Each structure stands twice: as structure tokens, then as C-alpha cells.
């Protein structure tokens, strides 16, 4: 019964994560489906689609095609789709969905056939629709670096250079988060090199190894950072800027980037909060309230707050709030990618609504900071107040326009 959804819709899936991570890269994205999965991504999961449309197609896959393994027909349709474009795409991405996954279609193999037929680089993603969006966001950079990445790091630079990893509008909404983070780090003398995923052509991937360090902004960014460390030896820090552009959290992140870049701290080191000396990840900090709602956040020696979302984003938000309200007790929860080494005592991962309700009752929060669709917790938990913090991967189109940039 834990998998039965009474209050929440299905979250953005892995194929939407792949498609979102490819948005703005000059690719042609093809979802191998009957059409409904493509509609799900375009009309419900991707906040940028309304204003920045891209060539995203469906193979209009029929069940008989999938069952009989008619790969030739899929290749022919893809070739026809490319012929309908006015501009030749930089590469083609073939993304599998539940039906191809169930019958065992090899998306990577079909992508090789498409590349052979067209002479255009083609990447295949064996997504299933049964995993969440963060899996897809992490899969795209791996494929891009494998195909377009450099063999070795380039020449060093005197200035500190960093890559931003793992953030898409499915995490923050279309609020200019990467641009704002770039500006915030620039105030501390740190230049952003590549945002991955992020807009731009494949040529920028060839510069991914030019950075002195990587900054994982989300839980999926941690996986990307570890992959780049194995491949190029680039160290990484973990954390997401919250609060004022020139505030303590941004300063702590800048210090952490310099520390790992200079070898003063090991990879994965999370910045210390100036007022507590504790790590940004995995401490008893607190969530950052949305603009204008600080007064709505009750604070006391026994105040308990539960913040739900991406693990890294939620814990980073917790650190910013802890600086102002260290007496509050806060737990972080997430249904998405979970890394035990980043979790603090009291944090928890949940698989379904009943898991969440049981864990939340045991913790007993007076305040929950989460996507508006988690409002059912306010009714389930006596005396609990919900402070909305939009997460597009959860509520999709319902609250796109309510998303706010966490950097004020």
C-alpha cells in the first residue's frame, strides 16, 4: 500500500530528467513512445517549454513495433524527423520510455543505427519511466562527457574556476538559478566555467576539465562530480547557495571551492557555516523560508521543522536558516536520490506517502517546508503548518509560476 498515491501525483520520471538536461544544447530529442510520454515532458514537466520550444519528437511507437522489435522502422522515422528540420542538430538523443523498457529494447543500439544512417552523433538512453528525474539528470552528463569530453585537463589558470553541476528547472523552476549563482560566486572571485546540465553546444563539454573544482548543487550533481573526479581528477564541493547574494552561505561555498581546489580539503567537503563551524551537509541546521514568510516560521527552543526536497538543496537551505535560528530542530527528507554520508541524524528517505506520514509523525514537526502538494501533511499532522517551497519535479505545471529563486 505504500506505493499507492492518495495525495501526490507521479513525480517527474527519468525520461523527463534526460530531456530536461538536454534542453538548450542544440540537440534533437526523440522519445521512443506512443506520444503520451512526450506530452508529459512538454506540457507538465518542463517549465521552459512554453517560451523556448525545441525539437522534441515522438516515434509514435506502437505496441506491436515494440514487441516485434521493429528497430528499422524507428530508425526510418528518426531519419525523416531530421529531414524535417531547417537546422542540422548537433547530436540526436533517443530516450526510451516504459513500453520499450518492458520489452527490452536497446536504445543505445538503435542510436548507433541512427548515427550510421545520418552521420550525426547519436546517444541512446535506456530510461524506463520507473525511476525519478534525478537519475536522468545524472545520466546525461555521463553520456556527453564520454562522447564529447576532452582526454585530459587543459592548462591551469591563476583564477579559481568552477563547474556547476546537477541543476535543472525540474529542481528550481525557470528562475535563473544558474545565472544568479554565477553572479554570486563572481563577487568572491570565482569564475564559472561550465554548467552541466545547462544551455550551450557540445563544444563547451570539451572545456569541462578546465575547472579547478566542481560544485554539486543537487544530489544528482554529486554523482556527476564523482564521475568527473574519477575521469579528470577534479575535486568537488557540495552545496547550493541560499539567502543573500553576498550572504554567509555563498561565502562559505566560495571558501569550500577554494579549499578543495587547493587541496586543503578532500573532495566532498561541505562548507562550514561561519557561525557554527559545522558542515553545511549533515548537521542540525534549518530551512530557508520563502521571501516574505520569515514571520510565518515559528521558532522556539523545541521547534521542529521538516524540509522536504532534493537532499543537497534541502540541507543547504537548512544551513542558511540555522544561522539565524540555531535553537530550531530540523530534519531533511527526500523521495529522490539519497546519500547516507550526507544525512544527519533524524534525516530520512521515503519511498511513498505512508513512509513519509509515519516518519513525519515520529519526528513531530510544527512546520513543514515543501512543495505545495505536500499540503496533506498539514491535515495529517496535528498543529502542523506548511510553508510552500515549489519543486517542479513534484507539482509540475500546477505551480511553475510560483517558483522562487533561493538566492535573494
Amino acid at each position: 500500500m505504500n506505493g499507492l498515491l492518495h495525495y501526490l501525483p507521479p513525480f517527474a520520471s527519468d525520461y523527463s530528467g534526460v530531456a530536461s538536461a538536454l534542453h538548450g544544447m542544440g540537440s534533437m530529442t526523440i522519445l521512443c513512445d506512443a506520444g503520451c510520454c512526450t506530452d508529459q515532458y512538454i506540457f507538465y514537466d518542463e517549465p521552459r517549454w512554453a517560451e523556448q520550444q525545441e525539437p522534441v519528437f515522438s516515434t509514435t511507437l506502437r505496441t506491436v513495433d515494440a514487441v516485434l522489435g521493429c528497430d528499422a522502422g524507428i530508425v526510418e522515422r528518426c531519419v525523416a524527423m531530421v529531414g524535417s528540420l531547417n537546422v542540422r542538430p548537433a547530436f540526436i538523443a533517443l530516450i526510451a520510455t516504459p513500453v520499450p523498457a518492458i520489452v527490452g529494447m536497446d536504445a543505445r543500439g538503435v542510436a548507433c543505427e541512427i548515427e550510421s544512417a545520418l552521420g550525426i552523433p547519436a546517444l541512446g538512453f535506456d530510461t524506463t519511466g520507473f525511476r525519478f528525474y534525478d537519475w536522468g539528470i545524472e545520466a546525461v552528463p555521463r553520456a556527453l562527457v564520454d562522447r564529447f569530453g576532452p582526454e585530459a585537463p587543459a592548462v591551469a589558470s591563476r583564477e579559481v574556476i568552477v563547474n556547476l553541476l546537477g541543476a535543472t528547472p525540474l529542481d528550481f523552476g525557470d528562475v535563473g538559478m544558474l545565472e544568479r549563482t554565477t553572479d554570486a560566486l563572481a563577487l568572491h572571485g570565482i569564475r564559472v566555467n561550465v554548467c552541466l546540465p545547462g544551455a550551450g553546444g557540445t563544444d563547451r563539454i570539451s572545456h569541462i576539465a578546465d575547472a579547478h573544482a566542481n560544485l554539486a548543487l543537487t544530489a544528482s550533481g554529486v554523482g556527476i562530480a564523482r564521475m568527473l573526479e574519477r575521469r579528470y581528477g577534479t575535486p568537488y564541493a557540495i552545496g547550493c547557495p541560499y539567502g543573500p547574494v553576498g550572504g554567509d552561505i555563498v561565502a562559505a561555498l566560495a571558501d569550500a571551492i577554494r579549499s578543495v581546489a587547493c587541496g586543503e580539503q578532500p573532495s566532498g567537503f561541505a562548507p562550514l557555516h561561519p557561525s557554527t563551524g559545522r558542515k553545511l551537509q549533515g548537521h542540525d541546521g534549518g530551512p530557508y523560508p520563502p521571501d516574505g514568510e520569515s514571520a510565518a516560521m515559528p521558532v522556539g527552543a523545541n521547534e521542529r521543522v521538516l524540509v522536504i526536497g532534493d537532499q543537497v538543496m534541502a540541507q543547504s537551505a537548512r544551513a542558511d536558516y540555522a544561522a539565524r535560528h540555531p535553537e530550531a530542530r530540523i530534519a531533511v527528507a527526500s523521495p529522490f536520490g539519497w546519500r547516507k554520508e550526507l544525512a544527519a541524524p533524524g534525516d530520512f528517505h521515503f519511498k511513498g506517502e505512508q513512509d513519509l506520514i509515519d516518519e513525519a509523525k515520529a519526528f513531530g514537526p510544527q512546520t513543514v517546508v515543501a512543495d505545495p502538494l505536500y499540503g496533506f501533511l498539514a491535515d495529517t499532522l496535528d498543529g502542523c503548518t506548511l510553508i510552500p517551497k515549489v519543486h517542479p519535479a513534484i507539482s509540475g505545471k500546477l505551480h511553475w509560476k510560483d517558483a522562487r529563486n533561493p538566492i535573494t
Side-chain angles (χ1 to χ4, degrees):
M1 294 298 289
N2 191 44
L4 184 63
L5 298 177
H6 293 276
Y7 308 101
L8 296 170
F11 300 153
S13 67
D14 52 3
Y15 60 78
S16 287
V18 170
S20 183
L22 292 169
H23 190 94
M25 291 202 63
S27 65
M28 185 175 82
T29 301
I30 302 173
L31 279 85
C32 195
D33 73 327
C36 49
C37 293
T38 302
D39 287 347
Q40 176 68 36
Y41 164 67
I42 291 173
F43 297 118
Y44 300 99
D45 290 340
E46 180 53 70
R48 295 169 292 187
W49 181 258
E51 298 181 359
Q52 186 184 350
Q53 297 183 8
E54 295 220 333
V56 177
F57 295 92
S58 167
T59 60
T60 60
L61 183 72
R62 297 182 302 165
T63 302
V64 67
D65 293 333
V67 172
L68 297 179
C70 298
D71 294 351
I74 296 174
V75 174
E76 290 175 3
R77 294 172 197 173
C78 293
V79 170
M81 293 174 196
V82 173
S84 69
L85 298 178
N86 296 324
V87 179
R88 184 181 176 89
F91 64 94
I92 297 168
L94 181 68
I95 306 173
T97 58
V99 171
I102 289 173
V103 300
M105 190 189 88
D106 181 7
R108 297 181 184 180
V110 176
C112 289
E113 295 183 40
I114 295 171
E115 181 169 341
S116 178
L118 290 169
I120 300 174
L123 305 175
F125 295 92
D126 291 311
T127 43
T128 65
F130 301 110
R131 294 171 294 212
F132 293 138
Y133 78 106
D134 52 316
W135 188 96
I137 291 175
E138 188 172 333
V140 168
R142 293 178 185 276
L144 291 175
V145 171
D146 285 344
R147 187 61 187 270
F148 304 109
E151 292 298 325
V155 295
S157 170
R158 290 185 178 180
E159 61 181 336
V160 178
I161 303 174
V162 67
N163 297 319
L164 303 181
L165 306 178
T168 76
L170 294 182
D171 298 299
F172 299 98
D174 189 15
V175 294
M177 176 62 184
L178 292 176
E179 293 81 1
R180 198 68 179 272
T181 302
T182 299
D183 294 340
L185 292 176
L187 295 176
H188 295 271
I190 296 176
R191 178 168 68 86
V192 171
N193 176 43
V194 173
C195 298
L196 191 65
T202 56
D203 58 326
R204 68 188 177 88
I205 306 299
S206 64
H207 299 288
I208 193 70
D210 294 357
H212 297 107
N214 292 311
L215 178 62
L217 298 171
T218 63
S220 56
V222 177
I224 301 168
R226 290 177 176 172
M227 178 268 293
L228 293 174
E229 183 182 45
R230 290 192 299 269
R231 187 176 182 116
Y232 301 117
T234 311
Y236 63 90
I238 303 170
C240 180
Y242 270 77
V245 168
D248 291 341
I249 292 297
V250 175
L253 283 170
D255 289 343
I257 292 169
R258 290 193 187 92
S259 295
V260 298
C262 298
E264 297 173 0
Q265 296 290 344
S267 285
F269 171 76
L272 299 175
H273 195 281
S275 64
T276 63
R278 294 180 297 182
K279 288 186 177 181
L280 181 64
Q281 308 299 335
H283 72 69
D284 299 322
Y288 179 76
D291 298 343
E293 297 192 20
S294 297
M297 190 77 106
V299 177
N302 298 316
E303 180 64 26
R304 294 179 180 232
V305 181
L306 176 65
V307 56
I308 305 172
D310 172 88
Q311 187 184 19
V312 170
M313 292 166 56
Q315 292 190 357
S316 300
R318 172 165 70 180
D320 180 59
Y321 189 66
R324 288 166 287 157
H325 305 289
E327 65 275 22
R329 298 180 61 188
I330 298 97
V332 163
S334 178
F336 305 116
W338 188 257
R339 300 184 183 276
K340 293 181 179 179
E341 69 274 16
L342 299 182
D347 293 352
F348 61 91
H349 179 258
F350 62 92
K351 294 184 178 180
E353 291 176 359
Q354 194 58 52
D355 269 352
L356 173 59
I357 291 172
D358 292 343
E359 293 283 356
K361 285 182 177 179
F363 179 65
Q366 286 82 32
T367 303
V368 173
V369 181
D371 186 90
L373 295 191
Y374 283 105
F376 68 90
L377 287 175
D379 299 325
T380 305
L381 306 175
D382 293 335
C384 178
T385 301
L386 176 77
I387 293 183
K389 187 174 183 299
V390 176
H391 193 165
I394 294 172
S395 56
K397 189 176 182 179
L398 291 173
H399 294 283
W400 279 350
K401 294 183 179 179
D402 299 326
R404 297 177 179 178
N405 198 316
I407 306 178
T408 56

